[in-house]
Amino acid sequence: MGFDTIPEPVANVKRTLTALGADDTVTVFDSKVPTAAAAAATLGCDVAAITNSLVFDVDGAPLLILASGAARVDVRKVAEQLGTGKIRRASPEFVLQHTGQEVGGVAPVGHPEKIKTLLDESLKTHELLWAGAGDHNSMFSITYQDLRRITGAEEMPVR
């Protein structure tokens, strides 16, 4: 599939992966995979190996938390560890503005500007992770080590 036949946010993720020295493992599915459960069912993997890219609003600045699909982020715990004020779930408009991607398809990379990123430590128990690739029909596979490297994420327990 060429770059001209896929949505721009997905093409951007593919370009970013390659530019950062990661393999372009983007897969486009016939059905939408906007949730960790839908993605796991489509991929036939454990929901805990799905990496949700969750955008939060910290006093107007975006914070990206790469969390296991099996985890619910404890924003109070994260705020305490970061020493920040209240962390709020971002609105769909805020997410699109800061990532160029819609909620449900947000990728860990490919954003207009670098976003402070945290990586859920529980993901390291999985040999292969799957993350959104820019839209509701696309995902890519990556190892924990490569995901940490390409995102520059800070490892942290998030639940």
Side-chain angles (χ1 to χ4, degrees):
M1 189 178 272
F3 284 128
D4 56 343
T5 59
I6 59 174
E8 182 54 31
V10 178
N12 190 34
V13 169
K14 289 169 77 69
R15 285 191 295 269
T16 302
L17 286 170
T18 305
L20 293 171
D23 292 334
D24 173 1
T25 58
V26 172
T27 302
V28 179
F29 302 100
D30 292 332
S31 59
K32 292 184 183 289
V33 287
T35 65
T42 298
L43 293 163
C45 71
D46 185 342
V47 70
I50 302 298
T51 305
N52 284 332
S53 298
L54 306 172
V55 179
F56 293 88
D57 182 336
V58 183
D59 297 325
L63 173 67
L64 177 63
I65 300 180
L66 305 177
S68 167
R72 180 165 175 82
V73 174
D74 181 340
V75 292
R76 284 192 180 116
K77 179 177 185 172
V78 172
E80 284 175 16
Q81 292 176 91
L82 291 177
T84 64
K86 190 169 185 177
I87 297 175
R88 295 176 182 82
R89 182 65 67 111
S91 69
E93 298 78 21
F94 184 92
V95 172
L96 184 60
Q97 173 191 350
H98 290 282
T99 67
Q101 303 157 356
E102 293 182 7
V103 171
V106 175
V109 295
H111 314 131
E113 292 183 20
K114 179 128 178 65
I115 297 174
K116 178 174 179 61
T117 304
L118 305 179
L119 182 57
D120 180 354
E121 289 180 339
S122 75
L123 288 167
K124 74 171 65 166
T125 63
H126 300 279
E127 200 171 308
L128 192 65
L129 302 173
W130 287 88
D135 75 359
H136 293 141
N137 290 74
S138 306
M139 298 197 72
F140 70 94
S141 60
I142 192 164
T143 65
Y144 180 89
Q145 292 77 15
D146 273 350
L147 183 60
R148 189 183 72 219
R149 180 182 61 78
I150 69 170
T151 61
E154 180 182 344
E155 296 175 276
M156 181 178 291
V158 299
R159 57 181 168 156

